[in-house]
Amino acid sequence: MKKNQLTALLLTAAMSLSLLAGCGNSADTSTPPAGTASGTEGSAAAADDGTIKEFTAFFAVPGTEINDDNEIQAEIAKITGAKVKETWLTGQTAQEAVGTMIAGGEYPDFIDGSDGQIQLYEAGALVALDDYLDKYPNIKNFYSDAEWDKVRQDDGKIYWIPQFGNVWEKDMSAVHGDEAFWIQTRVLKWADYPEIKTMDQYFDLIERYNEANPTMEDGTANIPYTILCDDWRYFCLENAPQFLDGHPNDGSVIVDTETMKIVDYNTTPTAKRYFQKLNEEFQKGIVDPESFTQTYDEYIAKLSTGRVLGMIDQWWNFAYSVNDSLKQQGLDKQGCDYVPLPITISEDIKNMWHTSDGALNVANGLGITTSCKDVEGALQFINDLLSPEVLTLRNWGMEGADYNVDENGLFYKTEEMRVNASDPAYKASHLCTYSYFPNYSGMSQDGINAATPSEQPQEFLDGLQADVRECLEAYGCSTYVEMIGTNTSPGPWYPMYSYSNTMTTSTPGGTAWTKMGEIKHEYLPKVVMASDFESAWEEYLKVYSDCKPEDFLSEMQTELDRRIQLAKDNGE
């Protein structure tokens, strides 16, 4: 899928909910990241003279700005001697926003261009970081040398820092932050918590529940199943076949681990069965007729009403706004929270969706632009954000206000603290996660606590809504991850989307990749809505083949072979 870096954006941003999982391999933990004397020396001097440096940042993804007088941001500024005004994507695509900046030649100090990252690189808008890294040990130690090498561009230099899913010590994930078939707890409870393992079983349950319970408690009609198709987020429609066949999220292709060959998930027998099933459900009125026209904001608003029984999505794409809204409205008491089910095309296929050791997404990250007048100050700020004291402020908040500490040094929250952390006004005025700057998941560097509240085992359990707790207990689970199972990463190539997301029309494969996306976005909704599925499917395959997907698959195979050989050369 495109945009996997958002995973971690929202995973690190939401301290009140769920988890940090996402896009990054475990860091090389043989040497602890410097966060003490050498790591913060420069910032301490800056803070002592009473001045606070101010930087700007733009992230080409949707986000929420915090208040200028945010309390934790002020505390972080006292330690680091700097603060950042963050702005987010509104009303444009990432490539449009980045293109406008490039045309004007003016940039913020920090940037993550999302889909437009390669445009920034090709425009010469980013500062090469190689000559600086040794001066900033927290940044340098954020990845191993082998991992940094994977971030290098065609000219051999490093221009950005992948921010997310960098696991310290061990994975503590309690929530599956990636893609899944989600369903509301009320549906499962109504059916006495059945074992649901296949696509057919999943839709059969939704159909039966909706027939018996067509409305919510207030009489509002349920929406049995909806699909998000807006812009790049149409992965909620198009990439399910790879997951139904049990594969982890390589995003743009399947890697056959027996033959080490690239497979096109768009044309597998499972792909046809999946889209035929959606077509059948659409004809029955189970699939939301607004699926193919609704915007992302409309989709989130729809989920936030509690009306939608199920959908395919990435957790980070919906949970952090939707779950807070459901809680604020008391809809969790009606069983409107979502849990993942281990859905595959048939019961003999084991899903491998959740990978416990992350995935390094080198396609984009946090860069410093050529407009920045103080590159060293900007890097010092990043370095200081990775110090233990600041990491605690970003991820847990302020002791006494956002968490307490027991006699063993273990952090915990009260219910009032959890409610505060889900309140938009409180988050804007008080919490400052600097969510699109580098961060760790896993363990805290104190060796006692998890890096984030959502990964703290007892805090995760204490913070669960009653309907989710009951559901997990019914299935003999204590976390969302246990609901679907966990696996190690399949190999050193993983994930392949970190390559396809960098492709441009400068190569035949990149041209094919662009055309394939355009065709799928146009034709797959038609396939789902068609009165004659077979004819619509054949038409789709014809126009799809005209994109020359073989050019794309060939370049992906070359990259797969390169990554495997590189890992061998590095002794991985």
Side-chain angles (χ1 to χ4, degrees):
M1 66 146 267
K2 300 187 79 154
K3 299 294 184 177
N4 203 58
Q5 75 276 18
L6 271 177
T7 272
L9 147 68
L10 295 171
L11 297 175
T12 54
M15 299 196 311
S16 63
L17 288 165
S18 329
L19 59 151
L20 249 160
C23 322
N25 275 340
S26 302
D28 179 2
T29 55
S30 58
T31 303
T36 53
S38 62
T40 58
E41 191 174 289
S43 64
D48 287 344
D49 68 11
T51 61
I52 299 295
K53 295 180 179 180
E54 296 192 9
F55 295 100
T56 57
F58 172 71
F59 308 119
V61 295
T64 302
E65 294 186 24
I66 60 176
N67 297 349
D68 290 339
D69 59 352
N70 182 281
E71 293 170 336
I72 289 181
Q73 186 179 59
E75 287 298 311
I76 292 174
K78 290 178 185 178
I79 299 169
T80 65
K83 64 187 297 186
V84 177
K85 175 65 176 177
E86 300 172 297
T87 56
W88 308 83
L89 187 69
T90 55
Q92 292 178 297
T93 67
Q95 292 186 9
E96 289 170 346
V98 167
T100 299
M101 289 184 182
I102 292 172
E106 293 293 331
Y107 309 95
D109 299 305
F110 298 102
I111 195 167
D112 187 315
S114 189
D115 270 5
Q117 193 81 353
I118 294 300
Q119 293 173 252
L120 291 166
Y121 165 65
E122 293 178 342
L126 303 175
V127 174
L129 304 178
D130 305 68
D131 294 340
Y132 296 97
L133 289 181
D134 287 338
K135 301 176 184 178
Y136 305 98
N138 290 355
I139 302 175
K140 175 71 172 179
N141 293 330
F142 194 59
Y143 290 115
S144 67
D145 289 343
E147 287 169 329
W148 279 119
D149 284 342
K150 294 178 182 178
V151 187
R152 297 185 186 280
Q153 299 307 300
D154 292 342
D155 62 1
K157 296 185 180 297
I158 298 168
Y159 289 91
W160 53 78
I161 307 168
Q163 307 101 312
F164 306 122
N166 199 328
V167 178
W168 173 257
E169 292 292 350
K170 61 179 179 178
D171 184 21
M172 300 287 287
S173 299
V175 176
H176 174 64
D178 211 320
E179 192 153 342
F181 285 75
W182 301 91
I183 195 166
Q184 289 185 327
T185 61
R186 59 174 167 145
V187 180
L188 296 171
K189 182 175 183 178
W190 172 82
D192 196 24
Y193 301 107
E195 291 292 326
I196 302 296
K197 297 182 179 180
T198 69
M199 176 181 67
D200 289 339
Q201 293 167 357
Y202 174 81
F203 280 109
D204 176 67
L205 175 58
I206 286 177
E207 285 184 46
R208 289 189 291 110
Y209 177 87
N210 191 63
E211 182 178 1
N213 306 274
T215 67
M216 299 180 66
E217 289 181 5
D218 65 358
T220 305
N222 289 324
I223 299 172
Y225 187 85
T226 197
I227 309 170
L228 178 61
C229 297
D230 189 21
D231 196 27
W232 56 267
R233 289 183 173 91
Y234 84 113
F235 63 79
C236 297
L237 169 67
E238 66 89 20
N239 71 2
Q242 67 177 316
F243 297 106
L244 287 170
D245 275 332
H247 297 281
N249 188 18
D250 267 305
S252 51
V253 293
I254 289 171
V255 175
D256 185 325
T257 54
E258 293 185 2
T259 64
M260 297 315 303
K261 296 298 182 183
I262 292 291
V263 176
D264 185 357
Y265 65 71
N266 297 287
T267 56
T268 62
T270 293
K272 182 177 181 180
R273 285 182 61 187
Y274 163 66
F275 286 106
Q276 187 166 21
K277 186 66 176 179
L278 288 185
N279 178 273
E280 293 170 0
E281 298 300 326
F282 184 85
Q283 306 305 329
K284 294 177 183 178
I286 297 300
V287 173
D288 178 11
E290 296 178 353
S291 291
F292 309 115
T293 56
Q294 65 189 343
T295 66
Y296 174 69
D297 289 341
E298 290 168 342
Y299 168 80
I300 292 298
K302 190 174 289 183
L303 296 185
S304 298
T305 66
R307 299 171 61 201
V308 178
L309 304 182
M311 73 286 179
I312 295 177
D313 204 347
Q314 303 261 350
W315 170 265
W316 51 260
N317 197 39
F318 74 91
Y320 297 105
S321 51
V322 170
N323 286 3
D324 281 352
S325 179
L326 295 175
K327 184 175 183 179
Q328 292 289 320
Q329 298 173 75
L331 291 172
D332 54 299
K333 295 178 175 59
Q334 296 185 34
C336 293
D337 287 307
Y338 294 98
V339 293
L341 292 177
I343 303 300
T344 51
I345 199 66
S346 60
E347 290 196 32
D348 61 324
I349 294 176
K350 178 183 182 295
N351 88 77
M352 295 181 289
W353 308 342
H354 187 86
T355 52
S356 59
D357 48 359
L360 177 61
N361 180 11
V362 300
N364 45 30
L366 182 70
I368 297 174
T369 75
T370 53
S371 292
C372 181
K373 299 297 191 289
D374 184 6
V375 173
E376 293 191 347
L379 285 166
Q380 184 65 55
F381 179 72
I382 300 173
N383 192 77
D384 297 338
L385 287 184
L386 291 170
S387 67
E389 180 181 11
V390 179
L391 284 170
T392 299
L393 281 169
R394 294 170 64 192
N395 295 326
W396 280 91
M398 299 172 66
E399 183 179 350
D402 304 301
Y403 69 97
N404 294 322
V405 185
D406 71 12
E407 64 276 9
N408 299 314
L410 199 67
F411 296 174
Y412 68 96
K413 289 174 175 278
T414 65
E415 182 58 26
E416 180 182 3
M417 291 170 176
R418 296 187 196 103
V419 171
N420 284 341
S422 68
D423 178 60
Y426 185 85
K427 288 190 283 189
S429 65
H430 180 75
L431 302 179
C432 177
T433 60
Y434 281 123
S435 60
Y436 233 59
F437 282 81
N439 202 344
Y440 285 102
S441 61
M443 286 295 294
S444 170
Q445 293 166 34
D446 64 10
I448 301 173
N449 294 285
T452 66
S454 58
E455 298 174 294
Q456 191 92 316
Q458 191 60 51
E459 180 54 35
F460 170 76
L461 291 173
D462 290 346
L464 279 177
Q465 303 296 25
D467 63 322
V468 177
R469 186 193 307 274
E470 179 182 333
C471 181
L472 292 177
E473 289 176 352
Y475 286 103
C477 301
S478 59
T479 68
Y480 292 73
V481 171
E482 290 180 10
M483 285 280 290
I484 60 172
T486 189
N487 304 270
T488 58
S489 294
W493 66 84
Y494 184 74
M496 290 302 294
Y497 65 73
S498 66
Y499 182 73
S500 56
N501 280 6
T502 68
M503 291 178 122
T504 69
T505 54
S506 62
T507 69
T511 299
W513 175 234
T514 298
K515 291 180 178 178
M516 288 159 59
E518 292 170 350
I519 288 300
K520 287 193 288 183
H521 208 231
E522 176 183 356
Y523 277 83
L524 290 179
K526 296 179 182 179
V527 166
V528 174
M529 295 185 290
S531 57
D532 182 348
F533 171 79
E534 290 293 342
S535 295
W537 182 252
E538 289 303 315
E539 181 183 2
Y540 161 64
L541 290 184
K542 171 62 171 63
V543 293
Y544 179 79
S545 66
D546 290 342
C547 299
K548 296 187 176 180
E550 63 273 13
D551 289 345
F552 165 70
L553 299 172
S554 175
E555 290 185 19
M556 292 297 286
Q557 184 68 53
T558 298
E559 176 62 13
L560 173 64
D561 295 341
R562 187 193 71 82
R563 291 185 178 192
I564 292 172
Q565 186 60 50
L566 180 63
K568 290 180 180 178
D569 294 343
N570 289 333
E572 295 180 27

